């Protein structure tokens, strides 16, 4: 065995550079690569855990009344997630590791992860230490041992020890040939000693300090029935140790094997205390209850949990079948509590509570996601906060974009009781996988709002999002076959479903050409749409002319317009059929050059996109019923597509792993990027901010941020050689943060120009109005009539005792006169105060006199437009001097010359003439000002009439032409 000192000297692990420097390097590398033009990775949804066992940590604080805090650390592939065990809320997610994580461990606030040949240390989600294996082999298992961390290589031939604070390598232990280490356990009260389990069924007790093997526990003693040697080997793989756990009793451990056998073993006496055998696959995890009850829990690779009574010699207490839909990866008891935490390969973490020592466990809380990759996703609602996802695991889930704790699975009924009574797996009782899904949230609070079609089923099912469960009705085609006619229609499976925009009707079509409409509230069939015989030029596309199935036309897509005027159905033989929604009559049939696989309708714009088998997406205008655009260039079968909310883009996914974005008005490809795996489905957010995708080898749903929402994106054509491969988003990491920080529009600009600000006047040759309501100027002109109509019948009565009054200055706006103490002392000063008050000028008159005579009186007219009609009337009547009258007419003249506020000037001029006409006639000094106003007014009025006549002629020409 090589000495540890030599290995330490040759492979001293130095501390990595600071975190800031690492981020700069990653930015420079990412800058060298071509970033996506339109969509950037944002985050992943629906990932809870994988096959790597979770780590449970409990913390107790002095004086805490709610008990210890529980933290659960799970693996998400290249990253990890930390959950709060009380409410199963997500605390935070760690950054991405260079490779897949194979094992996790926790040491206080630090999180350790083994990724390929690296050992990574995180504190508060930030990487603080990176250690590389000097041997160059991958690490498969790690555990904390005091101030050291122990790691096993993937080959199982070595165990390495590092210091957790400095990251320096302390020792390397090499095992003998024929011993493949798989896990490490530190027996309680054993100083510097660890127990190592092997793939061959043996165990060894090692002293870490002296690096010596103290004892070897042969598999023949651990197993009651040793395996038969195969081809000279010691043991077969059926006796491999897969679980190793410390019991509350000192020197006693639990050992689980792939054969399903469980051994409770005393390592000090080297004897087997108990033996149990678990049915349903090998043992994956063991756990001894830590609250004083002698119970051992074991988990199998089939998803079952068994509870054994150790006081009764290992008697089986309970068997929870189908606790998880896949193999259980880890199982741990919360210390001092009747609470069991399990995680499985079905992407779920569950907590089981025991109400009494002998009672069966009850599911307390859980967090789960799809355990098969979702193949169909659609945004639900208009706020873009929820996603409907369907998977091959036969479930329909609602995934929250905002908060993971709001995600849930729509209930299919009490399947757990049926599975227990029938002794069947829970997954076998679920509905077949969903093939098509549609919804309308208009009447979601009143009745079922979701309609789904399932594989090889002859009926559609309704669901209710408000109650989170299966709906009341199954909408089937079987009723049509109960007629007494000689020829009965062939019963086909559901291929497409559609819910109208109003939410009142659900429509489903079959593989044999049947199209029926039901009432979503009552489930009663209301209408049947008949396709009839196919056109002559498409009869031989799907079936031969001699085939008896030629009349069976599979309907692959359904859609209705927002006003329920038309029902559109596309068939597999390449036709798009337009039905009258009310009469169910076939109005028009459009023949496509190739067979139609599926279609979607953008109801706001009336654009219908059809996927054809010739690798072309054709866009049809439902008003003209013509093909207006053809999108091509695909190198694989088109899987899904989605319109942007403004109907400007069409995003598609295909088997060539490329997500393409087409500009609908121009028909050009404006963005394309390649992913590591094929995108099976995609959906565009109703708020235009995210694109959601699901992929063939991932359990999550991935969000891509729309850069056009935050940056100025230049939309130009893209060639096939410009398509770059982009990594999928993670739950949360530095890559997404750097991508968002790199957006140029997020940086503030000092000289930014508000492109949306409206100028005061678009063109000097145009006439600009005030945009104020018409009633304001009508009230000003008819104020006397309004006052007479609203005149009170009786004069108002003064209050008996007025408490006080404050002197005010004349004018429209209420302004209080400043109190003068000297005026109170002398009685003669009151006459002077009245004289000053009568000579005070209002704000209206001050702005009129302060404006330059050659200007446009902008401040004056802005103030005048802010006054009420009554205040304007009072201010105009208050113009008593000849100088003020001439000045007001000059202001109107200058405003007319500026060609702004035309209707306001008209109203001011009419009110002014009505009030001061007698004074204007009697004083010849005002004749020049009046002639100037009249001349300018006549000229500008003629301009307005000419502009209105020109606009009316243009509108009439356009109306007659179209």
């Amino acid at each position: 065995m090589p000495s540890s000192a030599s290995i330490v000297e040759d492979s001293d692990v130095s501390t990595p550079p600071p975190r800031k420097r690492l981020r700069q390097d990653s930015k420079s590398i990412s800058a060298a690569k071509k970033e996506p033009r339109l969509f950037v990775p944002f985050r992943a949804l629906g990932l809870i855990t994988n096959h790597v066992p979770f780590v449970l940590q409990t913390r107790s604080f002095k004086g805490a009344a709610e008990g210890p805090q529980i933290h659960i650390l799970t693996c998400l592939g290249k990253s990890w997630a930390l959950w709060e065990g009380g409410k199963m809320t997500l605390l935070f997610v760690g950054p991405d590791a260079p490779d897949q994580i194979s094992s996790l461990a926790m040491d206080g606030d630090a999180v350790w992860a083994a990724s390929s040949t690296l050992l990574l240390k995180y504190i508060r989600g930030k990487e603080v230490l990176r250690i590389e294996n000097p041997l160059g082999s991958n690490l498969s298992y790690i555990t904390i041992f005091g101030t050291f961390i122990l790691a096993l290589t993937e080959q199982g031939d070595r165990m390495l020890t590092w210091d957790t604070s400095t990251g320096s390598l302390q020792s390397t232990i090499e095992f003998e040939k024929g011993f493949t280490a798989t896990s490490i356990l530190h027996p309680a009260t054993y100083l510097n000693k660890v127990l190592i389990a092997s793939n061959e069924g043996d165990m060894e007790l090692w002293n870490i300090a002296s690096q010596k093997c103290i004892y070897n526990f042969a598999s023949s003693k651990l197993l009651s029935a040793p395996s038969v040697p195969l081809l000279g080997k010691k043991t077969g793989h059926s006796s491999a140790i897969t679980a190793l756990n410390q019991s509350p009793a000192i020197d006693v451990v639990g050992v689980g094997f792939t054969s399903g056998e469980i051994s409770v073993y005393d390592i000090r006496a080297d004897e087997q205390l108990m033996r149990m055998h678990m049915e349903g696959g090998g043992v994956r995890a063991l756990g001894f209850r830590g609250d004083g009850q002698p119970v051992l829990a074991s988990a199998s690779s089939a998803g079952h949990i068994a509870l054994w009574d150790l006081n009764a010699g290992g008697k089986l207490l309970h068997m929870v079948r189908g606790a998880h839909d896949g193999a259980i990866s880890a199982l741990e008891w919360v210390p001092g509590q009747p609470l069991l935490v399990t995680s499985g390969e079905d992407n779920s973490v569950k907590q089981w509570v025991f109400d009494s020592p002998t009672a069966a466990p009850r599911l307390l809380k859980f967090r789960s996601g799809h355990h098969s990759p979702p193949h169909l996703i659609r945004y639900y609602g208009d706020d873009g906060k929820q996603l409907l996802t369907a998977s091959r695991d036969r479930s329909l889930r609602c995934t929250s974009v905002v908060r993971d704790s709001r995600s849930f699975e729509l209930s299919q009924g009490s399947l757990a009781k049926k599975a227990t009574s029938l002794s069947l797996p829970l997954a076998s009782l679920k509905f077949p996988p969903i093939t098509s899904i549609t919804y309308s949230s208009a009447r979601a609070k009143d009745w079922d709002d979701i309609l789904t079609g399932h594989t090889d089923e002859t009926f559609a099912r309704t669901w209710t999002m408000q109650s989170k469960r299966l709906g009341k009705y199954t909408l089937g085609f079987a009723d049509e076959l109960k007629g007494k006619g000689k020829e009965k229609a062939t019963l086909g499976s559901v291929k497409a479903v559609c819910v109208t925009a109003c939410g009142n009707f659900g429509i489903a079509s079959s593989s044999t050409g049947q199209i029926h409409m039901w009432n979503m509230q009552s489930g009663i069939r209301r209408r049947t749409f008949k396709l009839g015989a196919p056109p002559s030029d498409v009869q031989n596309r799907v079936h031969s002319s001699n085939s008896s199935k030629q009349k069976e036309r599979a309907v692959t897509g359904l859609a209705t317009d927002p006003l329920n005027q038309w029902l559109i159905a596309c068939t597999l033989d390449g036709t798009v059929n337009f039905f009258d929604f009310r009469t169910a009559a076939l109005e028009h049939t459009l023949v496509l050059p190739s067979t139609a696989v599926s279609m979607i309708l953008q109801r706001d714009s009336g654009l219908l996109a059809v996927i054809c088998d010739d690798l072309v997406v054709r866009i049809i205008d439902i008003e003209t019923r013509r093909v207006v655009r053809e999108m091509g260039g695909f190198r694989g079968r088109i899987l899904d597509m989605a319109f942007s909310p403004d109907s400007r883009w069409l995003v598609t996914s295909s088997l060539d792993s490329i997500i393409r974005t087409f500009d609908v008005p121009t028909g050009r490809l404006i963005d394309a990027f390649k992913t590591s795996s094929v995108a099976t489905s995609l959906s565009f957010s109703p708020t235009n901010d995210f694109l959601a995708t699901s992929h063939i080898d991932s359990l999550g749903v991935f969000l891509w941020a729309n850069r056009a929402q935050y940056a100025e994106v230049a939309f130009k054509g893209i060639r096939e050689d410009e398509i770059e491969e982009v990594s999928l988003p993670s739950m949360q990491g530095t890559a997404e943060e750097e991508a968002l920080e790199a957006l140029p529009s997020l940086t503030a600009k000092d000289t930014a120009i508000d492109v949306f600000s409206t100028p005061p006047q678009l063109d000097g040759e145009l006439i600009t109005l005030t945009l104020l309501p018409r009633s304001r100027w009508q009230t000003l002109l008819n104020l006397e009539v309004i006052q007479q109509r609203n005149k009170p019948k009786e004069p108002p009565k003064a209050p008996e005792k007025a408490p006080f009054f404050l002197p005010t200055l004349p004018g429209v706006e209420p302004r209080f006169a400043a109190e003068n103490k000297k005026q109170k002392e002398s009685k003669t000063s009151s006459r002077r105060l009245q004289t000053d008050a009568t000579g005070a000028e209002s704000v209206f008159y001050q702005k009129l006199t302060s404006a330059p005579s050659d200007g446009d009186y902008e401040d004056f007219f802005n103030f005048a437009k802010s006054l009420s009609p009554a205040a304007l009337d009072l201010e105009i009547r208050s113009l008593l001097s000849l100088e003020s009258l001439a000045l007001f007419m000059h202001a109107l003249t200058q405003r007319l010359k500026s060609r702004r506020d035309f209707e306001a000037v008209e109203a001011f001029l009419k009110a002014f003439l009505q009030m001061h006409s007698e004074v204007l006639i009697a004083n010849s000094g005002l004749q020049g000002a009046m002639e100037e106003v009249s001349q300018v007014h006549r000229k500008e009025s003629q301009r307005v009439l000419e502009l209105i006549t020109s606009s009316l002629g243009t509108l009439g020409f356009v109306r007659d032409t179209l």
Side-chain angles (χ1 to χ4, degrees):
M1 183 181 300
S3 62
S4 62
S6 61
I7 295 180
V8 172
E9 293 174 359
D10 297 338
S11 60
D12 188 15
V13 179
S14 60
T15 57
R19 179 64 178 166
K20 186 175 182 181
R21 184 177 176 183
L22 288 176
R23 293 190 65 177
Q24 289 177 353
D25 294 340
S26 63
K27 285 185 178 181
S28 62
I29 294 174
S30 62
K33 297 182 180 180
K34 184 176 290 186
E35 295 182 354
R37 180 182 303 179
L38 189 57
F39 297 104
V40 293
F42 183 67
R43 62 170 298 197
L45 305 173
L47 298 177
I48 309 299
T49 184
N50 61 0
H51 65 280
V52 177
F54 69 88
V55 180
L56 181 69
Q57 185 186 62
T58 57
R59 292 186 176 185
S60 300
F61 299 94
K62 187 176 181 180
E66 298 180 356
Q69 293 184 355
I70 304 173
H71 291 158
I72 301 174
L73 182 69
T74 62
C75 179
L76 305 177
K78 289 187 178 182
S79 61
W80 48 268
L82 188 64
W83 306 81
E84 194 274 323
K87 295 183 178 179
M88 288 301 295
T89 55
L90 183 64
L91 297 180
F92 52 85
V93 179
D96 276 359
D99 207 339
Q100 297 289 329
I101 295 176
S102 56
S103 183
L104 291 170
M106 290 190 71
D107 182 19
D109 293 333
V111 174
W112 290 85
S115 173
S116 183
T117 61
L118 299 176
L119 196 59
L120 307 172
K121 181 181 180 181
Y122 304 92
I123 293 181
R124 300 295 298 176
K126 302 295 182 181
E127 181 182 338
V128 295
L129 184 61
R130 176 175 292 196
I131 305 172
E132 187 170 359
N133 183 8
L135 303 177
S137 58
N138 295 338
L139 303 177
S140 62
Y141 185 88
I142 59 174
T143 186
I144 300 296
F145 186 71
T147 59
F148 303 103
I149 182 169
L150 309 180
L152 296 176
T153 59
E154 189 177 19
Q155 294 79 12
D157 56 349
R158 283 182 174 88
M159 180 175 66
L160 298 90
T161 304
W162 283 280
D163 187 273
T164 56
S165 58
T166 62
S168 59
L169 183 64
Q170 300 297 319
S171 64
T172 299
I173 297 177
E174 184 175 359
F175 304 112
E176 296 180 356
K177 291 185 178 181
F179 185 88
T180 306
T182 56
S183 60
I184 305 172
L185 174 67
H186 174 218
T189 70
Y190 280 54
L191 183 63
N192 294 332
K193 298 178 182 64
V194 293
L195 198 61
I196 302 174
S198 70
N199 198 33
E200 290 75 18
D202 299 341
M203 289 194 308
E204 291 183 353
L205 186 65
W206 280 80
N207 190 314
I208 300 300
S210 62
Q211 304 176 26
K212 293 182 180 180
C213 179
I214 300 175
Y215 192 78
N216 179 277
F217 300 91
S219 61
S220 58
K221 293 185 178 180
L222 297 175
L223 285 169
S224 59
S227 59
V228 180
L230 297 174
L231 299 178
K233 293 184 179 180
K234 271 178 112 175
T235 57
H237 288 289
S238 61
S239 61
I241 299 177
T242 53
L244 191 63
N245 193 264
Q246 172 70 49
S247 72
I250 300 176
D251 305 327
V252 178
V253 297
V255 186
F257 299 88
T258 54
S259 60
E261 185 170 344
I262 303 171
S263 177
V264 180
Y265 203 83
D266 189 338
I267 58 176
R268 179 178 291 274
D270 192 14
E271 63 175 350
Q272 188 183 57
L273 302 180
M274 296 179 198
R275 172 193 173 274
M276 292 83 77
H277 187 273
M278 185 172 184
E279 299 178 356
V283 179
R284 296 293 297 271
L286 292 175
F288 290 89
R289 190 165 172 176
D291 60 345
Q293 299 295 330
V295 175
L296 170 65
S298 62
S300 71
S301 57
H304 306 326
I305 298 177
L307 301 170
W308 312 89
D309 188 357
L310 301 181
N311 280 349
K315 179 182 177 182
L316 180 64
L317 282 177
H318 301 285
M319 173 72 80
V320 183
R321 298 186 179 273
H324 286 263
D325 292 326
I328 298 177
S329 58
L331 176 149
E332 284 197 39
W333 293 86
V334 177
Q337 296 185 23
L339 195 63
L340 180 66
V341 183
T342 61
S343 71
E345 296 180 5
D346 60 346
N347 193 27
S348 67
V349 176
K350 300 182 179 181
Q351 296 186 19
W352 308 82
V353 66
F354 293 78
D355 298 323
S356 66
T358 59
R362 174 174 55 87
L363 184 62
L364 181 63
K365 60 190 71 171
F366 65 93
R367 184 74 66 233
S368 63
H370 285 295
H371 61 269
S372 293
H375 64 275
L376 186 59
I377 61 174
R378 292 292 182 267
Y379 267 98
Y380 178 85
D382 298 330
D383 54 1
K385 296 182 179 180
Q386 292 176 314
L387 274 165
L388 287 174
T389 59
S391 170
R392 295 294 175 186
D393 59 7
R394 302 184 173 189
S395 65
L396 177 62
R397 297 188 61 88
C398 176
T399 303
S400 175
V401 178
V402 180
R403 185 175 297 176
D404 187 78
S405 59
R406 297 178 182 175
S407 303
F408 57 89
E409 179 181 352
L410 275 72
S411 173
Q412 299 184 12
S414 56
L415 300 181
K417 295 181 179 180
K418 295 180 181 178
T420 304
S421 60
L422 298 176
S423 298
L424 293 175
L426 181 64
S428 62
L429 298 179
K430 289 186 176 181
F431 303 144
I434 295 175
T435 56
S436 59
I437 185 171
T438 181
Y439 76 92
S440 175
S441 58
R443 306 301 296 270
K445 297 181 179 180
D446 300 325
W447 51 73
D448 300 345
D449 58 334
I450 303 174
L451 188 63
T452 58
H454 300 256
T455 304
D456 298 332
E457 281 194 343
T458 59
F459 48 85
R461 302 178 187 272
T462 62
W463 305 75
T464 169
M465 178 64 80
Q466 188 177 19
S467 301
K468 305 178 183 180
R469 60 174 177 83
L470 183 69
K472 300 179 180 179
Y473 308 109
T474 56
L475 313 179
F477 300 95
D479 296 341
E480 192 182 60
L481 304 181
K482 296 180 180 180
K484 299 181 180 179
K486 295 181 180 180
E487 295 185 2
K488 294 183 180 181
T490 306
L491 192 63
S493 59
V494 175
K495 289 296 182 182
V497 291
C498 176
V499 177
T500 57
C502 60
N504 293 323
F505 301 102
I507 308 169
S509 63
S510 70
S511 58
T512 56
Q514 300 169 329
I515 304 176
H516 299 298
M517 183 178 72
W518 292 266
N519 187 286
M520 293 291 289
Q521 181 182 11
S522 61
I524 300 175
R525 182 184 299 176
R526 294 300 186 188
R527 202 162 293 136
T528 300
F529 301 86
K530 296 183 179 181
L531 281 172
S536 58
D537 50 351
V538 299
Q539 287 182 356
N540 300 328
R541 280 186 178 178
V542 180
H543 304 289
S544 61
S545 58
N546 298 327
S547 175
S548 60
K549 294 185 178 181
Q550 192 173 12
K551 295 182 180 180
E552 299 176 3
R553 305 174 61 190
V555 181
T556 55
L558 291 173
T560 59
D561 67 314
L563 299 179
N564 288 350
Q565 293 179 338
W566 308 103
L567 170 68
I568 308 167
C570 69
T571 58
L572 191 60
D573 52 15
T575 62
V576 179
N577 304 272
F578 294 84
F579 294 90
D580 187 279
F581 189 84
R582 293 172 177 80
T583 63
L586 181 61
E587 297 288 339
H588 181 74
T589 299
L590 176 64
V591 179
L592 300 177
S594 178
T595 58
V597 178
S598 64
M599 71 176 186
I600 58 170
L601 174 65
Q602 227 295 341
R603 284 173 171 165
D604 294 337
S605 62
L607 295 179
L608 181 73
V610 184
I611 297 177
C612 300
D613 260 345
D614 57 354
L615 305 184
V616 175
V617 177
R618 293 176 171 86
I619 299 180
I620 302 171
D621 186 1
I622 64 173
E623 293 294 333
T624 61
R625 299 173 183 175
R626 294 180 180 178
V627 177
V628 294
R629 293 290 184 274
E630 289 187 354
M631 315 296 188
F634 299 93
R635 292 177 293 180
R637 186 165 62 90
I638 307 170
L639 300 178
D640 201 4
M641 58 184 173
F643 274 106
S644 62
D646 56 359
S647 306
R648 186 170 182 85
W649 301 335
L650 179 68
V651 188
T652 61
S653 66
S654 55
L655 277 178
D656 54 4
S657 298
I658 298 177
I659 298 177
R660 295 175 172 86
T661 304
F662 295 91
D663 185 62
V664 175
T666 61
R668 298 172 61 185
L669 180 67
I670 60 174
D671 183 66
F673 60 93
K674 190 173 184 179
T675 56
S676 57
S677 59
V678 177
T680 56
S681 182
L682 50 84
S683 181
F684 217 113
S685 171
T687 55
N688 205 30
D689 49 1
F690 293 112
L691 173 71
T693 61
S694 63
H695 295 261
I696 197 170
D697 60 350
S698 178
L699 303 178
V701 177
F702 301 94
L703 296 182
W704 306 79
N706 181 10
R707 292 185 71 237
Q709 294 286 96
Y710 317 105
E712 296 180 3
V713 182
F715 297 114
K716 60 181 180 179
I718 185 173
R719 300 189 305 270
E720 292 292 333
D721 56 353
E722 297 178 352
I723 299 176
E724 298 289 335
E725 184 171 351
V726 182
S727 59
L728 295 178
S730 63
M731 286 288 288
Q732 183 180 352
T734 57
E736 287 72 24
E737 294 176 1
E738 292 168 2
L740 293 178
E741 290 173 0
L743 293 178
S745 66
L746 295 183
T747 58
K749 297 180 181 179
D750 297 336
T751 60
I753 301 176
D754 188 7
V755 297
F756 298 103
S757 61
T758 304
Q761 194 166 11
L762 297 178
D763 191 359
E765 299 298 326
L766 300 178
I767 297 295
T768 305
L769 305 181
T770 61
L771 299 181
L772 292 176
R774 182 182 178 185
S775 59
R776 178 182 290 256
W777 314 123
Q778 290 180 342
T779 304
L780 175 62
L781 300 177
N782 302 284
L783 188 61
E784 294 183 359
V785 179
I786 296 174
Q787 290 177 347
Q788 289 294 331
R789 184 181 60 191
N790 298 337
K791 185 177 181 180
K793 298 179 180 179
E794 297 180 0
K797 297 180 180 180
E800 297 180 358
K801 293 181 180 180
F804 64 92
F805 69 93
L806 296 177
T808 57
L809 296 177
V812 178
E813 293 184 351
R815 294 183 301 161
F816 299 103
E819 184 179 2
N820 194 344
K821 296 182 179 179
K822 295 182 179 179
Q823 293 175 2
K824 290 184 178 180
E825 296 175 358
S826 60
K827 296 182 180 179
T828 58
S829 62
S830 60
R831 184 175 300 172
R832 189 180 306 137
L833 176 62
Q834 293 176 0
T835 305
D836 294 341
T838 56
E841 297 176 350
S842 64
V843 179
F844 181 87
Y845 188 74
Q846 290 176 2
K847 290 186 177 291
L848 179 62
T849 55
S850 62
S853 60
D854 57 346
D856 58 356
Y857 289 83
E858 179 70 20
D859 294 339
F860 169 71
F861 276 90
N862 287 338
F863 177 76
K865 288 186 291 185
S866 65
L867 298 177
S868 63
L872 271 174
D873 182 88
L874 178 60
E875 293 288 1
I876 296 175
R877 291 182 186 276
S878 301
L879 300 174
L880 302 178
S881 64
L882 299 180
E883 181 184 0
S884 62
L885 296 178
L887 189 59
F888 185 75
M889 286 189 291
H890 179 71
L892 296 180
T893 304
Q894 291 297 113
R895 199 62 174 176
L896 283 173
K897 291 181 179 180
S898 67
R899 297 170 184 173
R900 296 173 59 186
D901 301 335
F902 182 78
E903 82 278 22
V905 174
E906 289 283 320
F908 292 168
L909 183 59
K910 184 175 181 180
F912 176 77
L913 294 176
Q914 289 177 352
M915 299 174 189
H916 304 285
S917 58
E918 297 180 357
V919 179
L920 295 176
I921 295 173
N923 294 274
S924 59
L926 300 175
Q927 185 176 0
M930 287 190 292
E931 290 178 354
E932 184 181 8
V933 172
S934 176
Q935 183 179 359
V936 175
H937 180 266
R938 188 182 301 108
K939 179 181 177 181
E940 293 302 323
S941 299
Q942 185 65 28
R943 283 176 47 81
V944 173
L945 292 177
E946 292 177 356
L947 291 174
I948 294 175
T949 305
S950 176
S951 300
L952 291 177
T954 304
L955 290 176
F957 172 76
V958 172
R959 183 174 62 250
D960 296 340
T961 304
L962 298 179

